[in-house]
Amino acid sequence: MSKRTPGLPQRPRGFWPTPREAVVPLIPYLPPRARYGEPCAGDGALIRHLRDLWPAGRCVWASDLEPQGPGIETMAVADIKAADDVDLWLTNVPWPVTGGKGDPALSIIKHLIGIAPAWVLLPWDFAANGYFGRLIGQCSDIVPIGRVSWLGNGTPGKDNAAWYRFDAQNRFPAVVRARS
């Protein structure tokens, strides 16, 4: 999860359920109503938080390479070819790995925005890396969320995070949104 905490337990495929506190700052920036997909749904934590915090949104797609909860289809992001019923993606992708040049996150984002715009939870410093240059033109918004408790014990993690909105049709530079 973090480059600053090598003692954190390793989890298969870097699976870290999305904490509720990471979702709260995003809610004001979501459209009033939308059908969304969660292609890295894990155990469905993000979907549950969105259901509670954004009742006008409706999850119409939930998949993961290795689902950890009920109602989540087994599917790799790369196998998603189209999703006509999805207005946007909302997801906590696997974060970039050291030496991976932005992957797996970068490849997932590039694939998803070929289908629909995407809000993606990533490390804050994702935007400070050279590989972000391959997506900066498609990034319209960044919502910083600070440090959250990934272990669910109330102790914040060591890395700041942010929600990034990517849209293949974007024609304007990214705007960093103030955290409320």
Side-chain angles (χ1 to χ4, degrees):
M1 180 74 213
S2 170
K3 62 187 172 193
R4 293 182 233 317
T5 51
L8 273 181
Q10 294 299 308
R11 295 189 174 178
R13 298 187 311 90
F15 171 66
W16 292 88
T18 307
R20 180 183 177 93
E21 64 186 303
V23 181
V24 173
L26 177 65
I27 300 303
Y29 304 103
L30 296 176
R33 288 178 166 54
R35 297 165 302 167
Y36 71 91
E38 214 303 30
C40 302
D43 67 353
L46 176 56
I47 297 167
R48 289 190 299 278
H49 301 321
L50 288 166
R51 188 179 308 129
D52 292 344
L53 298 166
W54 182 50
R58 185 166 53 101
C59 182
V60 296
W61 181 290
S63 63
D64 196 280
L65 187 59
E66 292 181 20
Q68 304 292 311
I72 300 168
E73 183 179 345
T74 302
M75 180 179 282
V77 172
D79 293 336
I80 300 171
K81 301 300 179 214
D84 295 335
D85 55 344
V86 168
D87 298 317
L88 68 140
W89 303 106
L90 287 160
T91 190
N92 176 7
V93 300
W95 286 13
V97 296
T98 303
K101 299 181 182 176
D103 280 327
L106 197 65
S107 293
I108 291 171
I109 295 163
K110 288 167 73 174
H111 181 77
L112 290 175
I113 65 173
I115 301 168
W119 276 104
V120 183
L121 182 59
L122 292 164
W124 170 248
D125 67 355
F126 181 82
N129 285 281
Y131 51 71
F132 181 64
R134 296 190 299 238
L135 281 176
I136 195 166
Q138 286 81 42
C139 185
S140 62
D141 299 86
I142 302 171
V143 178
I145 64 169
R147 295 178 181 182
V148 298
S149 176
W150 293 97
L151 294 173
N153 61 6
T155 302
K158 305 285 185 192
D159 289 302
N160 291 302
W163 285 97
Y164 293 76
R165 183 183 182 278
F166 296 97
D167 184 344
Q169 305 305 314
N170 184 55
R171 298 294 177 252
F172 303 99
V175 174
V176 178
R177 305 293 181 176
R179 184 169 180 200
S180 313

